Amino acid sequence: GAVVSQHPSWVICKSGTSVKIECRSLDFQATTMFWYRQFPKQSLMLMATSNEGSKATYEQGVEKDKFLINHASLTLSTLTVTSAHPEDSSFYICSASRQGTGRNYGYTFGSGTRLTVV
Amino acid sequence: GENVEQHPSTLSVQEGDSAVIKCTYSDSASNYFPWYKQELGKGPQLIIDIRSNVGEKKDQRIAVTLNKTAKHFSLHITETQPEDSAVYFCAARITGGGNKLTFGTGTQLKVEL
């Protein structure tokens, strides 16, 4: 079945530094990647949607200059949290979807990245 | 935009009993309704989904029902086991909405021995 590999699974960084999270679709081509943030005991909140080769579309309230998303290929998308602050500490999850002719193959989620900013 | 409500927020059942989680959605243009199971510290895993042209779908102990008129869908788990304990999320996708999923608020299911 479809597999999405997300790395790292956890990361601790100092305030002011940047952190990059990678998401790879291992056995399919992801036409669209979604990035979510999840705070403890809360639901998944969509941050942005990216299509391969295009600029990401950010949800209202999400700072695009702070959360840089790159989707340079059909198998790799990255989220970079720039100038991280303690309030950016959260669980970040990617999701990949692919579409064929007249068909949507659903969504496959990565295993998540626990970011702690100290 | 789409709004998905989910109830209950917590559910405790005895092993072997059934569990039902309900969701309602607001946009009648929604056409795809997946259910995810999320264990602590992990990403969501799809357990079952249903499309708007189907009223019910079953996969072993798990079933989903969809009522388009009332705009609600439900997850049914029968013969619950301790390993079913997790957080469950419903979601809905709007046709032409950029394929974005809108998630419910989640249900913490605890199956007690």
Side-chain angles (χ1 to χ4, degrees):
Chain A
V3 177
V4 171
S5 176
Q6 183 172 346
H7 292 281
S9 56
W10 61 270
V11 57
I12 301 173
C13 72
K14 293 184 177 180
S15 289
T17 62
S18 297
V19 174
K20 180 184 284 188
I21 301 170
E22 283 191 357
C23 205
R24 292 180 184 272
S25 56
L26 299 185
D27 49 3
F28 67 100
Q29 293 184 324
T31 50
T32 306
M33 285 281 199
F34 303 89
W35 287 93
Y36 297 86
R37 182 163 60 178
Q38 185 179 34
F39 291 108
K41 298 187 184 298
Q42 293 189 21
S43 188
L44 285 76
M45 298 303 297
L46 181 66
M47 299 174 66
T49 303
S50 73
N51 294 296
E52 183 261 342
S54 304
K55 288 185 178 180
T57 301
Y58 290 80
E59 294 300 301
Q60 192 172 9
V62 178
E63 300 175 59
K64 61 181 180 180
D65 293 331
K66 181 171 184 60
F67 299 99
L68 302 178
I69 291 172
N70 185 284
H71 191 171
S73 76
L74 283 171
T75 59
L76 174 64
S77 179
T78 60
L79 167 66
T80 301
V81 182
T82 63
S83 187
H85 291 284
E87 55 265 32
D88 298 325
S89 298
S90 188
F91 193 55
Y92 292 87
I93 310 170
C94 66
S95 172
S97 75
R98 63 184 175 127
Q99 288 180 286
T101 304
R103 182 180 176 186
N104 188 296
Y105 291 87
Y107 309 79
T108 303
F109 285 80
S111 53
T113 297
R114 172 71 59 194
L115 170 63
T116 302
V117 184
V118 298
Chain B
E2 174 71 286
N3 182 49
V4 178
E5 295 188 357
Q6 182 172 347
H7 298 281
S9 57
T10 61
L11 179 59
S12 186
V13 299
Q14 293 293 314
E15 183 180 10
D17 287 350
S18 295
V20 180
I21 303 171
K22 298 181 179 182
C23 287
T24 60
Y25 59 98
S26 60
D27 198 318
S28 57
S30 292
N31 66 347
Y32 175 66
F33 308 91
W35 285 90
Y36 294 92
K37 176 183 181 182
Q38 186 179 30
E39 297 177 335
L40 192 63
K42 297 183 179 180
Q45 284 193 309
L46 178 71
I47 55 171
I48 196 166
D49 57 11
I50 192 167
R51 299 185 188 275
S52 57
N53 59 346
V54 177
E56 184 174 357
K57 184 176 178 180
K58 188 174 182 180
D59 182 4
Q60 299 183 338
R61 297 187 297 112
I62 297 172
V64 56
T65 59
L66 171 65
N67 183 327
K68 286 195 298 180
T69 303
K71 289 188 283 189
H72 67 69
F73 55 113
S74 300
L75 176 70
H76 304 254
I77 305 174
T78 59
E79 302 172 28
T80 54
Q81 302 165 3
E83 50 266 39
D84 293 330
S85 297
V87 179
Y88 291 81
F89 289 98
C90 63
R93 182 188 71 203
I94 302 173
T95 306
N99 285 323
K100 295 188 292 186
L101 288 177
T102 301
F103 282 83
T105 48
T107 297
Q108 175 74 63
L109 173 64
K110 184 177 181 181
V111 180
E112 298 176 331
L113 297 171

